[in-house]
């Protein structure tokens, strides 16, 4: 008998949760402890996973003297593209407001308390910036203050990179911790169907069936934001390099379909690298930029993260002023590095950021119910963004013969 895929199990849990919450609301509310336990398991992963992956990534590529021009230019483009992705995610969510329109019952004390706390919290940007610097990293980890943890991890990673041979043991240890936490994430996701079932039952029982409407609006909003991002980045890259990047998208459309259908960036990576080489991109550039991009340039995952945070705020009626949204951008710009390509890790970043900004973590379970569809969308964006980044960096380094690229593209399209 064929084994049921985890995404199918999550979908079954979602449907059963909706049914139980609607038909038996009293029982649905009693299931909340199961959902809370699942959310606590997600939270327990956050600190060691983000710290180890940040240190590992920075220590491995943080010495910009060794990276040279290629690495420096790649990082610059990655950060530019990530900023655009985050901004588009926030802008579209502010305009579409998919989470607005549902009256959240005050039956949820946690949501009501979070909304009150957020509304009473005035942001002093200067003091907020000062508070990013931790006085005690152990205390910051205990409180799961992501900005303080990220600040320390960045400094620590750069220091490890600059002590040379002595730092290799630390990098190896962080790699081991990261791999172990990836495995823990894998284990935790086995409990996702039960957690989703419990949280959706509780949510529908507490808020009513109308809470499902925003989920469809969210999928449409994220899909539109992703398409807009790809079109905008392709246009900017075309202007910068004088190469039509929309033809590149056509040349890799089958790879993008593979990424969409499998929701796996890793499955598309080797085929995408081979395709870029066939289009004339030097192997040295492809083998450096593509793998690096899978840690530093997962645009779809960062766009989804910004959209998910704002959706949770809208869903629970919590106002997030522009200044706070900019802080969310900065937080996500750093916390999504290194782990966004790991299955389930995107939702962990959303959960950690939601908690950091006093948003109800119950909203994470609602997002998980449709995460498979959103994952397919963001994976397409991740793969497409990295392919475009590789070609752009190659042009920036003057390693790509543009005329040969056009000739190879035409020949490839004719022989398909």
């Amino acid at each position: 008998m064929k084994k049921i895929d985890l995404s199918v199990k999550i979908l079954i849990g979602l449907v059963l949760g909706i049914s139980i919450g609607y038909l038996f609301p009293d029982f649905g509310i009693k299931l909340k402890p199961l959902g809370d336990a699942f959310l606590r398991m997600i939270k327990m992963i956050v600190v060691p996973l983000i710290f180890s992956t940040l240190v590992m990534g920075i220590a491995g590529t943080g010495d910009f003297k060794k990276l040279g021009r290629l690495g420096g230019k790649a990082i610059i483009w990655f950060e530019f593209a990530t900023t655009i992705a985050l901004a588009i995610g926030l802008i579209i969510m502010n305009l579409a407001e998919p989470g607005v329109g549902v009256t959240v019952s005050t039956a949820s004390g946690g949501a009501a308390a979070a909304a009150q706390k957020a509304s009473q919290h005035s942001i002093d940007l200067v003091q907020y910036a000062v508070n990013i610097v931790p006085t005690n990293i152990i205390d910051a980890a205990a409180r799961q203050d992501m900005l303080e943890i990220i600040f320390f991890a960045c400094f620590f990673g750069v220091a490890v990179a600059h002590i040379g041979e002595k730092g290799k043991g630390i990098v190896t240890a962080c790699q081991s911790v990261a791999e172990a936490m990836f495995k823990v994430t894998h284990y935790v996701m086995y409990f996702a169907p039960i957690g989703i079932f419990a949280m959706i039952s509780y949510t529908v029982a507490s808020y009513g069936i109308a809470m499902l409407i925003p989920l469809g609006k969210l999928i449409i909003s994220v899909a539109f934001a992703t398409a807009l991002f790809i079109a905008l980045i392709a246009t900017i890259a075309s202007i910068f390099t004088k190469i039509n990047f929309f033809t590149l998208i056509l040349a890799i459309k089958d790879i993008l379909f593979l990424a969409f259908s499998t929701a796996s960036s890793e499955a598309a990576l080797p085929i995408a690298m081979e395709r870029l080489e066939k289009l004339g991109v030097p192997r040295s550039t492809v083998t450096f930029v593509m793998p690096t991009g899978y840690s530093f340039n997962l645009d779809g995952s960062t766009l989804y993260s910004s959209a998910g945070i704002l959706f949770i705020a809208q869903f629970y009626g919590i106002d997030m002023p522009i200044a706070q949204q900019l802080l969310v951008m900065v937080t996500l710009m750093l916390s999504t590095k290194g782990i966004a390509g790991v299955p389930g890790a995107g939702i962990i970043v959303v959960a950690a950021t939601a908690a950091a900004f006093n948003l109800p973590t119950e909203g994470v379970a609602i997002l998980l119910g449709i995460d498979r569809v959103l994952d397919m969308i963001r994976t397409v964006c991740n793969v497409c963004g990295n392919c475009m980044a590789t070609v752009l960096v190659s042009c920036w380094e003057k390693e790509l013969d543009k005329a040969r690229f056009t000739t190879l593209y035409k020949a490839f399209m004719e022989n398909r």
Side-chain angles (χ1 to χ4, degrees):
M1 183 177 178
K2 187 177 180 180
K3 188 177 179 181
I4 301 176
D5 187 72
L6 179 61
S7 61
V8 176
K9 293 179 181 177
I10 290 177
L11 181 60
I12 293 172
L14 174 67
V15 174
L16 288 177
I18 293 170
S19 303
I20 295 297
Y22 181 68
L23 297 174
F24 309 102
D26 291 339
F27 179 69
I29 289 176
K30 292 178 181 178
L31 292 173
K32 188 175 186 292
L34 279 176
D36 288 342
F38 174 65
L39 291 177
R40 289 173 72 92
M41 283 194 290
I42 289 179
K43 289 180 180 179
M44 77 178 182
I45 301 169
V46 171
V47 173
L49 183 60
I50 288 182
F51 179 81
S52 60
T53 51
L54 270 177
V55 172
M56 181 179 65
I58 293 171
T61 59
D63 189 343
F64 292 101
K65 291 181 180 178
K66 292 183 179 179
L67 279 178
R69 296 192 316 273
L70 185 64
K73 289 174 180 177
I75 295 296
I76 290 171
W77 176 257
F78 292 162
E79 293 308 314
F80 172 76
T82 297
T83 303
I84 296 296
L86 287 168
I88 288 179
L90 291 175
I91 290 170
I92 296 301
M93 292 298 290
N94 276 294
L95 294 176
E97 297 186 329
V100 174
V102 176
T103 303
V104 178
S105 169
T106 54
S108 171
Q116 183 178 11
K117 185 176 180 180
S119 64
Q120 292 175 350
H121 181 63
S122 58
I123 300 175
D124 182 344
L125 291 178
V126 175
Q127 189 58 43
Y128 198 97
V130 171
N131 289 340
I132 291 175
V133 183
T135 56
N136 185 329
I137 188 58
I138 304 300
D139 175 60
R143 290 183 288 105
Q144 293 198 336
D145 190 316
M146 293 314 302
L147 286 177
E148 292 187 19
I149 294 169
I150 290 168
F151 183 90
F152 177 79
C154 289
F155 265 77
F156 187 76
V158 171
V160 171
H162 282 84
I163 61 176
E165 291 292 324
K166 296 179 181 178
K168 285 188 176 181
I170 298 175
V171 175
T172 301
C174 284
Q175 288 174 337
S176 299
V177 171
E179 289 179 15
M181 294 314 301
F182 292 156
K183 183 60 71 174
V184 171
T185 302
H186 181 69
Y187 294 152
V188 168
M189 292 308 293
Y190 280 128
F191 293 92
I194 299 173
I196 297 304
F197 165 74
M199 285 307 301
I200 293 296
S201 295
Y202 167 77
T203 304
V204 171
S206 299
Y207 307 151
I209 200 72
M211 56 76 59
L212 298 175
I213 298 174
L215 296 181
K217 293 168 64 178
L218 175 63
I219 292 173
I220 295 172
S221 299
V222 171
F224 176 76
T226 299
L228 179 62
F229 168 78
I230 291 175
L232 181 60
I233 289 296
T235 301
I236 294 172
S238 298
I239 294 172
F240 183 76
T241 63
K242 303 297 188 290
I243 288 179
N244 187 349
F245 270 67
F246 290 96
T247 61
L248 172 64
I249 296 173
L250 289 176
I252 61 171
K253 63 181 180 180
D254 57 324
I255 298 172
L256 298 181
F257 180 77
L258 172 67
F260 180 81
S261 58
T262 62
S264 172
S265 299
E266 288 75 15
L269 176 61
I271 305 173
M273 293 174 70
E274 181 185 13
R275 183 67 50 83
L276 292 179
E277 286 187 43
K278 286 184 177 180
L279 294 173
V281 182
R283 174 172 294 183
S284 58
T285 304
V286 173
T287 55
F288 175 82
V289 178
M290 284 291 285
T292 305
Y294 273 69
S295 289
F296 289 90
N297 190 45
L298 290 165
D299 304 315
S301 297
T302 51
L303 189 153
Y304 159 76
S305 298
S306 64
I309 291 297
L310 206 53
F311 174 80
I312 293 173
Q314 292 172 356
F315 186 84
Y316 288 100
I318 299 172
D319 180 55
M320 289 194 77
I322 297 299
Q324 197 167 16
Q325 291 186 33
L326 292 176
L327 292 174
V328 168
M329 277 186 65
V330 173
T331 303
L332 290 173
M333 195 177 298
L334 295 170
S335 60
T336 53
K337 300 304 181 192
I339 70 168
V342 180
I347 208 72
I348 292 171
V349 171
V350 173
T353 309
F357 286 88
N358 302 317
L359 300 177
T361 50
E362 293 95 329
V364 175
I366 297 172
L367 288 175
L368 258 175
I370 57 169
D371 190 63
R372 175 66 179 185
V373 178
L374 296 174
D375 195 16
M376 294 163 76
I377 295 171
R378 63 178 178 256
T379 301
V380 169
C381 189
N382 290 339
V383 174
C384 188
N386 279 319
C387 288
M388 289 195 289
T390 303
V391 175
L392 181 135
V393 171
S394 180
C395 290
W396 198 351
E397 278 288 284
K398 296 181 172 58
E399 292 181 341
L400 183 65
D401 186 329
K402 298 177 184 179
R404 183 168 178 265
F405 174 86
T406 303
T407 302
L408 290 173
Y409 164 77
K410 290 179 179 178
F412 174 77
M413 296 300 288
E414 288 174 0
N415 294 326
R416 296 186 67 163

